Amino acid sequence: MALKGDLLIVGGGASGMLAALGARDTLRNLHIPDDAFTIILLERNARQGAKLRISGGGKCNVTHEGESGELLLKGFFDKAERRFLKHSFFSFTNSDLCSLLDRYGVKTAARPDGKVFPVSERAADVLKAFEAMLLDAGINMISSCRASALKRDSEQFTVDSSRGQFNSSALILAVGGVSYATTGTTGDGLAFARKFGHSVIDPSPALAPVVTKKVPPADLVGVSLRSVTLFVSVSHERVERRGDVLITHRGLTGPAVLSLSRQIAKFALQHRAAELYVDLFPAHTSTELQELFLQHARKNGTQMVRKFLQSAPIAPPSGSFAIFPYGTIPTALVPFIMRHAALEPDVRWSELKKDERKSLLDVLKRFPMGTVKSVPLDEGEVSAGGIALKEVNPKTMESRLVPGLYCCGELLDYAGEIGGFNLQAAFSTGWTAGRNAAERLAGGKHPNAGSSHLR
Ligand SMILES: Cc1cc2nc3c(=O)[nH]c(=O)nc-3n(C[C@H](O)[C@H](O)[C@H](O)COP(=O)(O)OP(=O)(O)OC[C@H]3O[C@@H](n4cnc5c(N)ncnc54)[C@H](O)[C@@H]3O)c2cc1C
């Protein structure tokens, strides 16, 4: 026999848990007793929140500090994504999240770069707090339960699962993206969405490392390039990101790489040879750098160029070679710079010919980092693509095609930057979906719906 719930949520990750909490909060505001309204949360894993538990390297960068508009600008470079997320980011803010966690004993604090973490730096504490909230909210949590087929007929949704059949009046899809499949996100939601007639933008990697065709030389593995500009360039097209780049045994990773990976993957799809470069002096134009080199050569003619490079600042501020604040060009990189610029290892500034100086400058502004082989989809902290945003109402997260169906979290076609933006998006869209599904089922808006018990 099928188990009947008023509201069924498929997926017990960040967005699904908040959808359940948002729904109960709304119902309690409307004075609807918990036993008069069943909320069922289905999760295929034995426990909710597998991805949350590994987030931020186990420390869980839950959100980012600042006002919601600022978060959207910093965290989402795509205008359409920002427009879509705006309403939920303002409806359930980073402060709402932090006060909710605080009420369950998890204090949070922002780091100087704006990333917000639990003070304990334990993702497990965040997860425990959410589990306690779900219990207090009287959510019927059914785990080890994988939804396999979904349909809607005569105002009712039916979900077939590994633990039997469920029926409900409203359904929230919160099954996440497609990366880190071992956490349970194998893309089931995309098939469900298509079945309901939704358009799905093909998943693609985001916040992922890059594998290069030739593995980096052993001497460079582990080398970190601070605050450089990483760019991919094919004919006249160029995409770039400023930040740290780390050289690995397979290619590249680090904040600039992860952030640019979505565009690198697109480039690699469109062009056979997408070449990666870093600019070691991003604050200087080539002309400024040439002038600085000339000045330096005049004063330090007998200095070997390689000695200069070994103590030269990386990414110095415009107009100088001052070492602030990122240290020097890594020593391991210097022989490679000399080789790429075709300079003799012991050449001195006074011996450099004009074309050699030009060649050195070109290499520093365009140091080759290899050709892209792949950007592994499964290794991304998130995946781009998913349900087309235009088919979901951004104010309610309700499908524009199927009344009573709500979609939230990474299953939607957005992907944020590193910094707590993706979890905030999952929390905010989840809360919005839960709240609106509950309001719909409770028979429309209630005058008290603005105030909140949980917040
Ligand atoms: C290694 C790593 C580190 C990260 N660190 C951060 C960070 O520090 N800060 C940040 O903001 N973001 C981080 N992210 C991204 C963030 O974790 C996700 O964007 C966020 O968890 C997405 O939430 P979601 O609810 O949409 O999906 P998920 O959290 O993935 O939840 C989806 C749930 O649905 C379940 N499910 C799937 N299919 C079915 C089915 N058929 N039936 C039943 N259940 C199903 C899954 O098991 C899963 O539990 C990180 C991601 C990774 C992989």
Side-chain angles (χ1 to χ4, degrees):
M1 209 184 73
L3 183 62
K4 172 114 180 77
D6 295 290
L7 173 62
L8 191 59
I9 301 163
V10 182
S15 63
M17 291 190 286
L18 265 285
L21 295 172
R24 181 61 81 208
D25 181 56
T26 303
L27 294 164
R28 285 181 181 172
N29 276 345
L30 297 173
H31 308 292
I32 296 175
D34 290 1
D35 58 5
F37 198 105
T38 321
I39 303 172
I40 302 176
L41 179 61
L42 298 188
E43 168 54 48
R44 67 184 281 185
N45 293 325
R47 199 176 162 193
Q48 287 74 23
K51 209 168 262 181
L52 190 76
R53 203 162 45 233
I54 58 165
S55 283
K59 295 182 177 170
C60 198
N61 175 197
V62 279
T63 184
H64 203 91
E65 95 173 327
E67 171 274 322
S68 296
E70 206 183 302
L71 251 64
L72 286 165
L73 274 175
K74 269 190 179 174
F76 298 87
F77 294 161
D78 184 294
K79 218 172 165 184
E81 294 179 14
R82 281 203 297 275
R83 215 177 307 127
F84 179 84
L85 292 169
K86 190 172 172 188
H87 186 85
S88 6
F89 264 61
F90 278 90
S91 305
F92 185 80
T93 66
N94 49 1
S95 325
D96 291 331
L97 174 74
C98 294
S99 6
L100 198 52
L101 287 171
D102 189 49
R103 279 195 50 193
Y104 279 78
V106 178
K107 301 248 176 280
T108 50
R111 292 184 177 176
D113 62 3
K115 292 179 183 171
V116 176
F117 286 83
V119 170
S120 68
E121 298 200 327
R122 282 168 45 92
D125 293 348
V126 176
L127 187 54
K128 258 191 229 150
F130 281 128
E131 284 169 339
M133 290 177 215
L134 291 167
L135 272 178
D136 286 353
I139 308 299
N140 187 354
M141 291 182 273
I142 302 182
S143 48
S144 304
C145 177
R146 181 176 185 181
S148 51
L150 275 55
K151 66 172 191 253
R152 180 180 191 267
D153 35 38
S154 57
E155 305 291 307
Q156 179 171 273
F157 289 92
T158 303
V159 173
D160 291 328
S161 83
S162 53
R163 295 186 62 179
Q165 201 175 67
F166 297 85
N167 296 130
S168 66
S169 313
L171 176 68
I172 299 182
L173 274 182
V175 289
V178 300
S179 69
Y180 273 72
T182 49
T183 62
T185 42
T186 46
D188 291 2
L190 302 178
F192 297 153
R194 283 195 187 100
K195 195 87 198 292
F196 280 124
H198 273 286
S199 321
V200 168
I201 314 303
D202 284 341
S204 59
L207 304 185
V210 172
V211 180
T212 48
K213 284 196 174 148
K214 247 177 86 182
V215 294
D219 290 355
L220 290 184
V221 173
V223 165
S224 172
L225 306 173
R226 303 284 319 279
S227 195
V228 293
T229 291
L230 171 78
F231 63 97
V232 194
S233 143
V234 178
S235 51
H236 293 302
E237 277 182 85
R238 169 178 163 138
V239 288
E240 62 178 46
R241 201 71 88 243
R242 180 102 189 248
D244 297 354
V245 171
L246 177 70
I247 303 173
T248 68
H249 64 287
R250 295 193 307 161
L252 305 177
T253 189
V257 179
L258 300 186
S259 174
L260 197 61
S261 61
R262 189 173 172 185
Q263 283 158 292
I264 295 175
K266 259 191 208 153
F267 253 63
L269 254 185
Q270 286 161 1
H271 308 281
R272 244 185 338 149
E275 304 289 343
L276 295 156
Y277 301 94
V278 292
D279 179 349
L280 297 158
F281 285 80
H284 295 82
T285 62
S286 297
T287 320
E288 281 166 357
L289 200 55
Q290 191 176 20
E291 185 50 39
L292 280 176
F293 279 159
L294 278 172
Q295 284 171 17
H296 185 85
R298 258 181 243 126
K299 287 189 206 148
N300 307 277
T302 57
Q303 184 193 37
M304 280 187 218
V305 174
R306 102 176 126 77
K307 288 279 178 204
F308 163 78
L309 290 174
Q310 279 163 5
S311 57
I314 192 162
S318 171
S320 83
F321 285 150
I323 301 187
F324 172 85
Y326 309 113
T328 55
I329 293 176
T331 309
L333 197 68
V334 172
F336 292 90
I337 297 175
M338 298 294 288
R339 222 169 296 147
H340 282 302
L343 299 182
E344 289 300 328
D346 290 337
V347 70
R348 293 170 196 278
W349 281 108
S350 57
E351 297 160 350
L352 269 194
K353 298 188 192 76
K354 193 175 171 192
D355 58 333
E356 289 175 323
R357 215 170 33 239
K358 165 90 172 59
S359 159
L360 173 63
L361 192 141
D362 288 347
V363 171
L364 292 172
K365 292 289 291 172
R366 198 183 169 86
F367 185 84
M369 303 296 286
T371 310
V372 180
K373 180 179 176 195
S374 64
V375 186
L377 179 61
D378 192 55
E379 293 176 35
E381 285 200 5
V382 291
S383 52
I387 298 179
L389 299 182
K390 62 177 188 318
E391 295 175 0
V392 176
N393 182 341
K395 297 212 161 122
T396 59
M397 295 295 137
E398 188 175 12
S399 157
R400 291 194 198 272
L401 311 183
V402 185
L405 173 70
Y406 295 77
C407 310
C408 55
E410 214 182 300
L411 172 64
L412 295 165
D413 178 27
Y414 70 76
E417 291 296 306
I418 281 193
F421 305 104
N422 287 298
L423 277 175
Q424 182 63 50
F427 296 139
S428 294
T429 56
W431 183 274
T432 304
R435 180 181 187 105
N436 284 282
E439 277 185 357
R440 180 180 205 274
L441 292 178
K445 284 213 182 269
H446 185 277
N448 292 333
S451 61
S452 158
H453 287 292
L454 283 178
R455 279 192 260 160

